[in-house]
Amino acid sequence: INYLTEWWNEGDGTSNCSAAVGVTVEATGNVGINFSLDIGATISGTITANNSVLANVNVSVQGDNWSMGTCTDSDGNYLLVVPPGSYRLSAGGRSCGTDPVTVYPLTYYSEDGLGTYNFLKALVFSVDAGENTTKNFVLAEGAKISGLVTDSDSNVLANVNVNVNVSWQDDNWGMGTCTGSDGKYLLVVPSGSDYSYWLSAGGWSCDPDPETIYALTYYSADGLGTYNYGEALVFSVGAG
């Protein structure tokens, strides 16, 4: 039996850490905290690429306003214990290691089991308490798009949205990230000349209450940027 990880919230506990309530403990005091745990559903599987298992790959499950993740072990296996409900499942996008040699794009589990990079085409599946379901992934090597975001005075900008729009055959989707405190960003995308990319920064902030906002700016061939989508540089990237 697998029990849900639950957080204290002055009630029956919650599986959503954002709904947790802090506990104050005095230096000489004792606080009694009791939990009544619920039985969860398990989602497990193996992550591979090129017929080899992948360790330290992020695997995440997304529900309604709730998500959790884990990392594959040395055998490429993962295990998630979740509340009953409906979910999308993804693997890749980032590594649990510090600086992986090979990167794998964020891949959603799809109905055909082959995976998709498009969130809207991800399989939404349901699980009940005590149920065990297996979802395996076969990932393809991707490519990195990274850089630095600054203002006109060369000051680095943290918490700025950076987004890449992707076109492949008749499919279109996007993925995004936020700049770190050093102004740097990293996106892991599918690789190959049959994928086309448009890159943009700004438009909205990852900070809910930013002091300054910046207009949505597309990367252009001259490197100066443009506000016109039609003038954005369309490019492809190779694996690695």
Side-chain angles (χ1 to χ4, degrees), residues 37-174:
L37 299 182
D38 296 318
I39 296 175
T42 62
I43 305 170
S44 62
T46 304
I47 313 298
T48 61
N50 298 320
N51 297 315
S52 298
V53 297
L54 296 178
N56 293 320
V57 171
N58 179 64
V59 182
S60 181
V61 64
Q62 300 91 33
D64 293 332
N65 302 315
W66 182 88
S67 65
M68 67 176 297
T70 188
C71 299
T72 54
D73 61 19
S74 59
D75 295 318
N77 297 320
Y78 73 91
L79 173 67
L80 292 160
V81 181
V82 300
S86 298
Y87 298 98
R88 288 180 174 89
L89 185 69
S90 63
R94 62 182 179 87
S95 171
C96 301
T98 54
D99 189 16
V101 175
T102 306
V103 293
Y104 301 92
L106 183 66
T107 304
Y108 294 95
Y109 193 86
S110 58
E111 188 171 8
D112 59 12
L114 299 178
T116 176
Y117 301 128
N118 190 336
F119 174 84
L120 297 178
K121 294 186 176 182
L123 174 68
V124 179
F125 61 95
S126 299
V127 290
D128 295 320
E131 181 180 353
N132 301 312
T133 185
T134 301
K135 307 289 185 188
N136 299 320
F137 284 87
V138 178
L139 301 184
E141 183 177 351
K144 297 178 182 178
I145 301 175
S146 60
L148 178 70
V149 179
T150 62
D151 64 14
S152 57
D153 295 321
S154 298
N155 298 308
V156 298
L157 298 179
N159 293 319
V160 171
N161 176 62
V162 181
N163 192 71
V164 61
N165 295 322
V166 188
S167 177
W168 177 71
Q169 297 181 358
D170 295 326
D171 203 4
N172 296 277
W173 71 94

